[in-house]
């Protein structure tokens, strides 16, 4: 069974610091990787995707992928209270569809 | 720009009653459409997906069904709800690998 594992948290980070969120996946053939942010009671919002090994930066967010270790991470620099949410890691086995396998999410709290 | 509409936002239904949740997408044509469910304390689980009108694939055996009567319309149904059907139901559309979610329907079966 294909699995995506995340530490459920909560992860508490001081405002202005770097938040580091981690995810591992079991399907070695996975092709695309996503990070979603979900505020309490709301639907998930796509914030980053990555397909290739290495780093991908978008503003304060950096996604990191290591296919050999089957590991994906999300770094949030200069953390803000508005970053407090649950972060969902999602994995897709191939390109061309969006049949995602999600982790259970990591709850992040930014402390002012 | 593309938008996705999903309704109702919340729903309380008795056990054994029918269900119909509707989702429509605007601003794109021939999207892949999905129904996911998020149960309390669990990750999102893919229920159904559709790559075109009348084309439905089920990912897990369950008490639910889906239909796609029009290109940008996706419907989730049940003839008789169970307590275990409670959860947060999310419709999503996707293109080029990226999935975008509607606002969700929180269903409580009592």
């Amino acid at each position: 069974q294909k699995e995506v594992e995340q530490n459920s948290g909560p992860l508490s980070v001081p405002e202005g610091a770097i938040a580091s969120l981690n995810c591992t996946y079991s399907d070695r053939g996975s092709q695309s990787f996503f990070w979603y942010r979900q505020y309490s009671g709301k639907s998930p919002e796509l914030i980053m995707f990555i397909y290739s090994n290495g780093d991908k930066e978008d503003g304060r967010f950096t996604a990191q992928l290591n296919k050999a270790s089957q590991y994906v991470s999300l770094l949030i620099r200069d953390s803000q209270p508005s970053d407090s949410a649950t972060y969902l890691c999602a994995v897709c086995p191939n390109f061309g569809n969006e049949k995602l396998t999600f982790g259970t999410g990591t709850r992040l709290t930014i402390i002012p | 720009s593309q938008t996705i509409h999903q309704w109702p936002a919340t729903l309380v239904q008795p056990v054994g009653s029918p269900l119909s949740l509707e989702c429509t997408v605007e601003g794109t044509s021939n999207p892949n459409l999905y129904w996911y469910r998020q149960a309390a304390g669990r990750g999102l689980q893919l229920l159904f997906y559709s790559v075109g009108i009348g084309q439905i694939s089920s990912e897990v055996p369950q008490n639910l069904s889906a239909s796609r009567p029009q290109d940008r319309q996706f419907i989730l149904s049940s003839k008789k709800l169970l307590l275990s059907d409670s959860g947060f139901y999310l419709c999503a559309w996707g293109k080029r690998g990226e999935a975008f979610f509607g606002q969700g329907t929180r269903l409580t079966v009592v």
Side-chain angles (χ1 to χ4, degrees), chain A residues 27-100:
Chain A
D27 183 4
R28 186 170 288 279
S30 298
Q31 297 289 336
S32 49
F33 307 86
F34 304 85
W35 283 100
Y36 285 82
R37 178 176 62 200
Q38 186 174 26
Y39 293 114
S40 181
K42 303 297 184 182
S43 61
E45 173 191 10
L46 179 63
I47 53 174
M48 288 286 292
F49 61 88
I50 187 167
Y51 302 142
S52 304
N53 276 328
D55 295 359
K56 179 182 178 183
E57 187 174 318
D58 183 0
R60 295 187 297 113
F61 299 96
T62 298
Q64 299 175 317
L65 174 61
N66 183 326
K67 288 188 176 181
S69 301
Q70 296 175 242
Y71 178 90
V72 191
S73 65
L74 179 70
L75 301 178
I76 307 175
R77 290 181 299 281
D78 187 24
S79 297
Q80 303 296 310
S82 59
D83 295 326
S84 297
T86 297
Y87 288 80
L88 305 173
C89 174
V91 173
C92 191
N94 47 47
F95 300 111
N97 67 59
E98 298 77 32
K99 295 170 60 180
L100 305 175

Side-chain angles (χ1 to χ4, degrees), chain B:
Chain B
S1 64
Q2 299 84 5
T3 56
I4 179 168
H5 303 279
Q6 189 181 340
W7 65 94
T10 59
L11 193 58
V12 180
Q13 292 285 97
V15 169
S17 64
L19 173 74
S20 180
L21 303 180
E22 188 167 341
C23 169
T24 59
V25 182
E26 296 177 356
T28 186
S29 60
N30 196 31
N32 295 334
L33 295 174
Y34 302 84
W35 281 109
Y36 284 85
R37 177 172 61 198
Q38 187 174 37
R42 300 184 63 182
L44 277 78
Q45 181 186 33
L46 178 61
L47 302 176
F48 299 95
Y49 75 96
S50 171
V51 299
I53 296 173
Q55 301 179 61
I56 309 295
S57 295
S58 173
E59 289 295 302
V60 292
Q62 60 210 323
N63 185 42
L64 302 168
S65 62
S67 62
R68 184 169 179 175
Q70 300 181 42
D71 180 46
R72 290 170 287 177
Q73 183 184 30
F74 206 22
I75 298 172
L76 182 70
S77 304
S78 174
K79 292 183 179 178
K80 289 185 177 181
L81 285 168
L82 306 173
L83 285 175
S84 58
D85 292 324
S86 293
F88 192 34
Y89 287 82
L90 292 153
C91 180
W93 75 273
K95 220 158 193 180
R96 297 186 298 276
E98 298 171 45
F100 302 92
F101 289 89
Q103 296 306 300
T105 296
R106 192 163 302 281
L107 171 66
T108 304
V109 183
V110 297

